[in-house]
Amino acid sequence: MTWTNSKDSALRERAMAVIPNGMYGHQSVMLMPDDYPQFFERAEGAYLWDVDGNRYVDFMCGYGPNLFGYAHPEIDAAYVARLRQGDTMTGPGEAMVELAEAMTRQVSHADWAMFCKNGTDATTMALMIARNFTQKKTIVLARGAYHGAAPWCTPLKNGVTPADRANQVFYDYNDVESLEAAVREAGSDLAGIFASPIKHDTFIDQEAPTPEYARRARELCDEQGALLIIDDVRAGFRLARDCSWSLVGVKPDLSSWGKAIANGHPISALLGADIARFAAATIYATGSFWFSAAPMAASLATLKLIADSDYLERTIALGERLRTGLTEVSGRHGLGLRQTGPAQMPLIMIDEDPTGAKGYFWNNALLKRGVYFHPWHNMFMNTAMTDGDIDHALQAADDAFKLLKAAGPLEPVAKLEFMHAMVG
Ligand SMILES: *Cc1c(COP(=O)(O)O)cnc(C)c1O
């Protein structure tokens, strides 16, 4: 089937009239390689179909929510059954208690759970609980880490005032000295330290936390009576069947969850240890849709698979097959790839590509061959992918490398230059 995008183009034109800039936020494809479609028709298992009917093996997984495959039969059946019985009601259903029990059973540092809709809700509650717990203001955060799109943390400064960003001190991830310096700067006003489970920033190589850094963050919080917060919204249950920092043997006081916890149904969570229970009970936190029962039923079904299946080992094996294959294919073409992050959450960038032009060309060629990759954001594996899907991606990568070599020198990507200027 030949690749076309006429329906997508028509929808984009209509969107321009009634949606600011046609689309906003992280799923806007304005800054992606030229042929990336904006609108999709269908998703099932490992595949995504755009509105023009082009099929892709989707390595973005909805930017994280898809862990067990799109439209998972058991998870969606639990969702639909709950939806028919009562979803958004005047109060929560039994599923809320069951889900809090299941989450605290699964995550070893957690004694209690609160539920909300978005990762940003959970990280914002964590910030408030740390301040309420300590009766102090300053939060220490890693430079460049993403924690959501509220005024206190959104990456672009438009519409944000200095007051929104007050009482924040930054450190460099994995740099113990800079963490200590940030905590010194916070002085007697330290409320909490935020850490991403791994360094999963955009555009740069990913890093696992060093045990020294993770342990020092814990110690500094203990010394100061502050709370340690792990933002597991993106990596939660993708690295471990527990909080991601269980892998380095460090227990946080609070952890924020979202994305994959209901395999795509809208729910997020804040988990905490007993020490922060009273502080959590005494902030005002709510939302019209936070207590909806159907996403909780979906999350319960997802947690059952997390506890009882080999999903984690499967996504790691698929990621390793992709990584090994790409190393082999790129080597054959004499082109280097920087493949960083855990195999199941890979970031893949082309070496010696300062303007991003090679990456954009290569990703665009993959797209045209039915493989949805991302040029500068970490990607995700899901359990519906097969070895055949990975091999399809490797074949597409091989073809795309051939085209890249034949293309000769490329113009810098103007839209990337624009974005870097905007973020500053
Ligand atoms: C996506 C993300 C968030 C925000 O979650 P939303 O559901 O988009 O509000 C926070 N932290 C991390 C690490 C994320 O990846």
Side-chain angles (χ1 to χ4, degrees):
M1 201 177 79
T2 50
W3 190 93
T4 56
N5 64 355
S6 53
K7 278 194 182 168
D8 192 68
S9 302
L11 271 178
R12 284 193 204 205
E13 210 172 297
R14 282 166 58 197
M16 266 303 172
V18 289
I19 295 167
N21 206 28
M23 176 61 190
Y24 43 88
H26 72 292
Q27 291 187 352
S28 169
V29 297
M30 290 274 179
L31 297 174
M32 292 289 269
D34 291 340
D35 292 322
Y36 274 60
Q38 182 63 74
F39 297 100
F40 296 90
E41 178 71 35
R42 195 156 85 80
E44 193 181 334
Y47 309 120
L48 191 57
W49 286 262
D50 68 21
V51 287
D52 288 281
N54 304 301
R55 192 193 84 162
Y56 307 98
V57 182
D58 177 20
F59 287 87
M60 284 313 288
C61 296
Y63 281 79
N66 170 12
L67 174 57
F68 289 98
Y70 287 116
H72 188 278
E74 280 157 63
I75 296 168
D76 286 8
Y79 178 85
V80 169
R82 237 300 127 206
L83 188 67
R84 294 220 171 105
Q85 251 181 296
D87 177 25
T88 304
M89 304 180 283
T90 303
E94 185 179 359
M96 183 173 181
V97 181
E98 289 177 339
L99 186 56
E101 287 168 349
M103 286 294 280
T104 54
R105 210 167 30 241
Q106 199 62 45
V107 177
S108 53
H109 83 83
D111 298 309
W112 53 261
M114 293 170 83
F115 300 106
C116 31
K117 281 296 109 176
N118 276 92
T120 307
D121 300 332
T123 56
T124 301
M125 283 198 306
L127 174 93
M128 290 171 70
I129 291 168
R131 286 176 173 162
N132 191 35
F133 175 80
T134 54
Q135 296 292 303
K136 293 173 180 176
K137 299 187 296 296
T138 303
I139 295 290
V140 163
L141 310 122
R143 208 168 276 115
Y146 185 70
H147 297 300
W152 70 270
C153 57
T154 191
L156 292 193
K157 299 278 163 63
N158 296 331
V160 174
T161 69
D164 294 323
R165 302 297 178 107
N167 311 307
Q168 299 184 352
V169 181
F170 292 89
Y171 68 94
D172 295 319
Y173 198 89
N174 266 343
D175 181 337
V176 172
E177 271 174 37
S178 98
L179 176 65
E180 288 171 340
V183 167
R184 261 197 312 280
E185 193 181 327
S188 59
D189 193 47
L190 183 70
I193 298 177
F194 261 84
S196 306
I198 54 175
K199 184 172 180 170
H200 50 28
D201 304 355
T202 50
F203 291 104
I204 54 175
D205 292 350
Q206 314 290 282
E207 283 176 40
T210 65
E212 300 75 54
Y213 155 66
R215 279 190 221 123
R216 192 67 187 125
R218 179 69 271 173
E219 273 170 17
L220 288 165
C221 284
D222 292 341
E223 284 166 23
Q224 305 285 321
L227 297 187
L228 178 62
I229 303 148
I230 295 300
D231 179 4
D232 235 341
V233 171
R234 193 183 314 174
F237 296 138
R238 284 190 176 271
L239 307 185
R241 291 180 176 82
D242 193 344
C243 177
S244 296
W245 271 23
S246 63
L247 297 173
V248 280
V250 171
K251 286 190 179 187
D253 302 298
L254 301 173
S255 57
S256 50
W257 300 72
K259 303 218 159 98
I261 66 169
N263 202 51
H265 295 286
I267 186 165
S268 60
L270 181 69
L271 306 185
D274 268 330
I275 188 174
R277 191 187 286 260
F278 180 75
T282 50
I283 61 161
Y284 187 74
T286 193
S288 299
F289 305 106
W290 286 16
F291 310 99
S292 303
M296 292 182 180
S299 187
L300 273 168
T302 306
L303 280 168
K304 199 166 152 26
L305 290 169
I306 285 166
D308 299 341
S309 78
D310 66 350
Y311 83 100
L312 185 57
E313 294 69 27
R314 230 188 112 56
T315 54
I316 293 172
L318 287 160
E320 282 172 354
R321 186 181 183 94
L322 179 69
R323 180 164 289 180
T324 309
L326 284 174
T327 302
E328 200 263 312
V329 171
S330 60
R332 222 185 307 134
H333 292 283
L335 282 157
L337 282 185
R338 289 209 316 282
Q339 304 193 67
T340 60
Q344 67 274 38
M345 285 177 69
L347 177 71
I348 299 168
M349 313 240 296
I350 294 190
D351 251 351
E352 293 165 44
D353 185 23
T355 69
K358 289 181 195 169
Y360 268 48
F361 184 99
W362 186 66
N363 276 266
N364 204 64
L366 281 167
L367 182 90
K368 293 295 220 21
R369 283 156 185 76
V371 177
Y372 197 107
F373 264 25
H374 200 295
W376 45 262
H377 190 290
N378 78 269
M379 306 194 291
F380 304 87
M381 300 294 169
N382 68 71
T383 62
M385 290 172 168
T386 62
D387 286 354
D389 292 326
I390 303 298
D391 295 345
H392 169 81
L394 294 173
Q395 180 59 56
D398 194 11
D399 294 347
F401 277 128
K402 275 184 205 130
L403 288 176
L404 178 61
K405 281 176 76 176
L410 301 166
E411 292 292 311
V413 182
K415 48 189 164 188
L416 263 182
E417 291 176 341
F418 169 76
M419 179 169 62
H420 288 305
M422 206 164 54
V423 177

